[in-house]
């Protein structure tokens, strides 16, 4: 083992039994920004913040069009596009901030960046970005997970100083597999059982089996709490902490569910050697260069 | 082809393209019974009726215990128990009215029988019965389908004079894969595309691929309507028409979802030769003997 669990407060996948550990970093900050004190407080309590109509339907239409363009123009052999196992349907496209000027601009939008800076209390850079398509009638589920567990173990992200932004590009409703979260779960770190298999990401992007909680871990997180699924029209945005336990059901409805994601990490929290004895995941999943995001003039 | 589509108003799986046809039979009746005129009217309009707390929690506990007993005592080689493909978890047990005195008694309970008789306007018999377990964390989805389409094509049920009763044996909530229905869809018969494969039921009990609607068929059923998921505590009951389009998502929650089902068919609507050129499905899926149910004294 290359990593000593004694030096790593967030070690995971090192024994046959899961374990709950407290979070070290505080959530939220008192840095200035567009969010009210109440909103920052709510984010700190729940681990997420839902903002309806942060983007207009015109903004959303442009993002959807850019996703289609990227799918169409994606060069053969370039990594970062994930297709459904059984069909030639695109499920995700990664590293949008690298491959698309349009998405670079979206991720530099002050509506996102100033809020991310305020919640993380520092300048930020993009750790990962992607568009997720959950197609109508057969969109697949994402099992429960904490992003941070994977980012820490497999990418080497040292601390819980990152957050995800999910922009709804279609309505997200009860029946098209909306994001489900456990409010408050970001305060507890679940050390998962098992080991990290070789090239785990190739499998885990389709169906994650390692780094996921057991039923009793989930039940412990749910003591005194309830699962919540933020729902809303296209243009709504969810900011959520890197350690928030979340997942989403399959989509049997005739409406696709499309979300644009970006992960802002604090510039003080750049990646180190992964906290497992595997090489780091490819850069389309985890940027290894810290470049602070500058707000677009807009 | 043994069946002429000219003589069968509900032919299906006979061409490469789906088609919508109107229902012939009316839904509901003006027979006397415990349901109010409003309730019968609502059933006729929506194709289903939700009744909270029809059974007590004590009743429910007895039913759950009987399900466990059946699982434990199920003889090797006896058909009618369905396990999850990837695990040794029981998903369904069929023909409970045949194998269990306790369930025979439940299905003879006047709370169910008199309502079924009232809605179907005749005496009734049991066409099928089962308990469905949708286990926590990995309960599988049931894709959209009309039961009648299968019962007609594969079992030879002539007309839409049957209904299902689903008794909630656990709470059914937003996150444990509740029954989803399209209100009003029972008025339209979707002739499905494709053919019936040999021994289709062996596959379709796990994942149905024939006799299911396409996205555009579902969208047509949803014009002016919305998907509804009746939710409630253990002991609640849903009565729903045999042609109501329904399905259910997977269960990622830490709460199992368990339902007890029975199908009452009118004694005037006994099974004929299947409306396809395959032999009928086994009797654990479709009773071929009409025995009118007599209410238990209770």
């Amino acid at each position: 083992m290359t990593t000593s669990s004694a030096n790593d407060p967030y070690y995971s996948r090192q024994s046959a039994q899961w374990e709950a550990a407290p979070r070290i970093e505080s959530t939220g900050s008192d840095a200035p920004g567009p969010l009210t004190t109440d909103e920052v407080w709510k984010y700190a309590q729940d681990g997420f913040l839902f903002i309806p109509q942060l983007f207009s339907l015109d903004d959303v239409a442009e993002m959807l069009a850019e996703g289609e363009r990227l799918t169409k123009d994606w060069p053969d052999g370039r990594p970062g596009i994930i297709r459904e196992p059984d069909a030639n349907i695109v499920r995700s496209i990664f590293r949008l901030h690298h491959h698309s000027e349009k998405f670079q601009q979206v991720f530099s939008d002050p509506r996102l960046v100033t809020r991310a800076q305020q919640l993380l209390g520092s300048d930020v850079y993009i750790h990962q970005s992607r568009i997720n398509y959950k197609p109508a009638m057969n969109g697949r589920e994402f099992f429960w997970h904490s992003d941070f567990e994977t980012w820490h173990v497999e990418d080497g992200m040292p601390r819980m100083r990152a957050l995800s932004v999910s922009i709804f590009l279609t309505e997200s409703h009860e029946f098209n597999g909306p994001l489900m979260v456990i409010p408050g779960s970001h305060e507890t770190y679940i050390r998962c059982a098992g080991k990290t298999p070789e090239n785990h990401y190739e499998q885990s992007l389709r169906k994650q089996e390692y780094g996921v909680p057991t039923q009793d871990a989930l039940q412990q997180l749910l003591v005194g709490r309830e699962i919540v699924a933020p729902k809303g029209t296209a243009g709504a945005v969810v900011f959520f902490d890197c350690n928030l336990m979340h997942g989403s059901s399959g989509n049997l409805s005739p409406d696709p569910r499309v979300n644009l994601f970006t992960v802002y990490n604090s510039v003080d929290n750049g990646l180190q050697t992964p906290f497992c004895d595997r090489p780091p995941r490819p850069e389309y999943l985890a940027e290894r260069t810290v470049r602070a995001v500058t707000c677009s003039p807009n």
Side-chain angles (χ1 to χ4, degrees), chain A:
Chain A
M1 196 169 302
T2 57
T3 314
S4 155
S5 59
N7 297 327
D8 175 15
Y10 296 130
Y11 71 85
S12 182
R13 310 187 199 175
Q14 302 204 354
S15 79
Q17 174 60 32
W18 70 275
E19 212 177 285
R23 177 198 186 97
I24 296 165
E25 298 75 28
S26 61
T27 318
S29 84
D30 47 17
L35 297 170
T36 65
T37 309
D38 265 8
E39 285 173 320
V40 174
W41 182 82
K42 203 168 160 38
Y43 178 83
Q45 285 288 108
D46 293 342
F48 74 99
L49 193 64
F50 175 71
I51 305 183
Q53 295 175 311
L54 191 61
F55 289 93
S56 72
L57 294 182
D58 286 347
D59 293 336
V60 164
E62 285 177 21
M63 299 178 207
L64 282 169
E66 179 66 0
E68 277 181 37
R69 190 196 65 75
L70 274 175
T71 300
K72 195 163 57 67
D73 296 348
W74 198 264
D76 276 354
R78 183 206 267 171
I81 196 160
I82 312 295
R83 299 175 195 275
E84 292 277 336
D86 306 331
N88 201 19
I89 297 169
V90 170
R91 174 163 149 179
S92 305
I93 312 175
F94 281 86
R95 215 182 189 190
L96 306 176
H97 59 287
H98 196 85
H99 296 308
S100 157
E101 270 184 47
K102 170 68 196 166
F103 285 130
Q104 242 169 25
Q105 191 192 324
V106 172
F107 302 146
S108 306
D109 190 295
R111 284 171 285 191
L112 301 180
V113 177
T114 57
R115 285 174 172 84
Q117 287 168 335
Q118 182 178 7
L119 291 171
L120 295 172
S122 76
D123 275 348
V124 299
Y125 76 98
I126 294 178
H127 167 67
Q128 187 194 84
S129 64
R130 67 187 191 271
I131 188 166
N132 276 351
Y133 296 95
K134 188 176 273 195
M137 311 290 282
N138 69 354
R140 293 166 72 89
E141 68 187 31
F142 282 75
F143 196 72
W144 296 101
H145 63 286
S146 147
D147 290 323
F148 179 77
E149 198 271 351
T150 295
W151 298 342
H152 182 71
V153 173
E154 300 193 27
D155 297 339
M157 183 183 286
R159 295 301 172 115
M160 295 185 183
R161 299 213 41 210
L163 59 78
S164 289
V165 169
S166 167
I167 307 172
F168 295 6
L169 302 190
T170 55
E171 187 189 350
S172 208
H173 60 63
E174 179 177 344
F175 301 112
N176 64 353
L179 176 71
M180 303 188 294
V181 305
I182 301 181
S185 59
H186 64 300
E187 293 292 352
T188 304
Y189 181 68
I190 302 290
R191 303 191 201 285
C192 297
K195 288 215 156 286
T196 309
E198 200 175 355
N199 293 329
H200 179 226
Y201 69 93
E202 290 175 2
Q203 174 57 24
S204 70
L205 291 176
R206 296 199 160 136
K207 187 171 192 300
Q208 194 168 349
E209 293 182 45
Y210 298 87
V212 294
T214 57
Q215 184 176 0
D216 49 352
L218 216 61
Q219 276 165 332
Q220 179 165 327
L221 292 177
L222 278 164
V223 171
R225 299 172 180 137
E226 284 200 334
I227 299 170
V228 166
K231 303 177 191 86
T233 52
V237 174
V238 185
F239 290 79
F240 63 100
D241 180 79
C242 57
N243 190 43
L244 189 71
M245 192 59 77
H246 65 287
S248 67
S249 293
N251 180 10
L252 287 185
S253 88
D255 310 319
R257 198 212 65 169
V258 187
N259 282 21
L260 180 65
F261 277 92
T262 187
V263 179
Y264 294 111
N265 188 20
S266 168
V267 293
D268 308 326
N269 197 39
L271 302 189
Q272 303 178 357
T273 308
F275 293 85
C276 65
D277 37 8
R278 300 284 179 198
R281 301 193 301 171
E283 285 224 285
Y284 73 84
L285 293 172
E287 284 298 338
R288 306 201 72 82
T289 314
V290 174
R291 280 186 213 87
V293 177
T294 320
C295 280
S296 62
N298 218 15

